[in-house]
Structures are given as structure tokens and as C-alpha cells.
Amino acid sequence: DDETVRNLNEGLKGLNRYVNKAEQFRTFLSYRGEYLFDKSNAKSYLDIRIQPSQDKFYILGVVSDPRGRRTTKDVTTGGTTTRTEEWDRDGILFNAQIGKRFYDLTARAGIFSSSGGFGLDYHMLKDDVTLTFEAYDFRTDTRPHLKFGIDYKFWKYFYISAGADDFISEDNHSTLFLGGGVRFYDDDLKFLLTSAPKP
């Protein structure tokens, strides 16, 4: 009857919406390494990007920075309080960001290397080239951490990058960097693992 047909049509529409959402959902795994010329050392990033739709995503990851994690401590001696700064070089930093794409511009906000901040990415040449700007670690006692870079993607999975990190630093942390990385979509990773030759 007509009511059964209407209910069936509504059910099929709901199933179609669910299938379309599932097809849009993507998960990416990426590794990025940067050689810091001023530090003669490398900085590494390992991220997972969860993308429920083409224009929205979430990033979770860890960062290994040769400078380590910055901590401050207030010490009071004879009624005078002084603040000391220490760097835990074995400390692991974290990323947790949410992003939204508007045409060729992507805006990100959240946690950058365990500090609050934001980032902007401008995509060019069919997303093969990306200009990136990040600002985080906003404190009253020093300048924020600013980073600018350019990425060039090639061979689908790989990219190279270059730029300037912490370039307005008051702590002599300003440095140029050169690096690269690899990024896999979950289906790409499955294909590579299943197609690899077996001993």
C-alpha cells in the first residue's frame, strides 16, 4: 500500500545518506621530518588525520622536538621570586587540531606542539603546492612561536618542504628547515601491505 511504499522510500533515503557519509569518511597516516639548520638536528611529526567530509578534518599526533618541552618554575628566595625556564629534551609534544577548508584556504585551530594556536594553509596547483603558516605558544613573557613553510607533493604519497621555524624568537631558536614526509590514505596503506611480496 501507499504507506508501506512511503516508509520504504524513507528507509532507502536514510540508507543512501549513510552510505554517502561512509564513502566520504577518510583516514590518513603521515610522517614528517624537518632538519633544523640552526640546531643541526631533526624535528619529527607523526599524525593521524580523520576526515569525515571533504571540507572538515581532525588531526591527532605526536611531535619530537630537539628543544624538548618548555617548563617554567617560580623560585622564591629571601622574599624575591624569580622565574626559571627549563627544557625537557626527552619530552614528547602533542597535536590535537580541528580544521575546515574554504575553497583553496584551510583554517586550523587547537593544540600545536602542546600549545594552543592556529594555522592557515593555502593550496595551489591542484593541491600539489601548499603554503603554511602556524602561530602558537602565546605567552606574556616572550614572543609567540611562528612558522612558515611551503610543501610540494610528488608521486602521490610523498612531499618535500622548506621554510622558517620560530622566526621571531627571542630565545635564539629561529632557524630555517628543510624536510619531507609521506602520507597514506587508509585504503592506500591496505593496498601497499597486501601487495608487498611475501617471504
Side-chain angles (χ1 to χ4, degrees), residues 67-140:
R67 291 170 296 190
R69 180 193 295 271
R70 175 186 180 271
T71 59
T72 57
K73 183 187 298 184
D74 292 332
V75 178
T76 303
T77 305
T80 303
T81 301
T82 58
R83 172 166 294 184
T84 60
E85 179 181 281
E86 296 179 353
W87 291 85
D88 179 8
R89 298 190 181 278
D90 296 325
I92 296 295
L93 307 175
F94 298 93
N95 289 331
Q97 303 163 23
I98 182 171
K100 175 79 172 176
R101 179 160 179 169
F102 305 90
Y103 301 101
D104 291 332
L105 182 67
T106 296
R108 294 178 284 124
I111 305 299
F112 294 73
S113 297
S114 297
S115 299
F118 67 91
L120 296 172
D121 306 312
Y122 184 71
H123 311 280
M124 302 183 298
L125 302 178
K126 297 181 180 180
D127 289 1
D128 285 341
V129 176
T130 302
L131 302 178
T132 297
F133 173 78
E134 294 179 349
Y136 57 93
D137 196 12
F138 295 94
R139 292 174 279 146
T140 57

Side-chain angles (χ1 to χ4, degrees), residues 19-33:
V19 170
N20 287 337
K21 283 287 185 182
E23 289 180 348
Q24 291 179 4
F25 192 93
R26 297 288 185 268
T27 303
F28 297 89
L29 181 66
S30 67
Y31 168 80
R32 178 188 188 98

Side-chain angles (χ1 to χ4, degrees), residues 157-196:
Y157 306 112
F158 302 95
Y159 61 91
I160 56 175
S161 59
D165 189 22
D166 207 2
F167 53 83
I168 62 169
S169 171
E170 296 176 324
D171 305 320
N172 295 321
H173 288 159
S174 176
T175 181
L176 299 176
F177 70 86
L178 180 66
V182 57
R183 186 177 74 164
F184 292 104
Y185 164 52
D186 48 8
D187 280 355
D188 294 333
L189 193 58
K190 291 176 187 176
F191 172 76
L192 291 175
L193 291 176
T194 56
S195 62

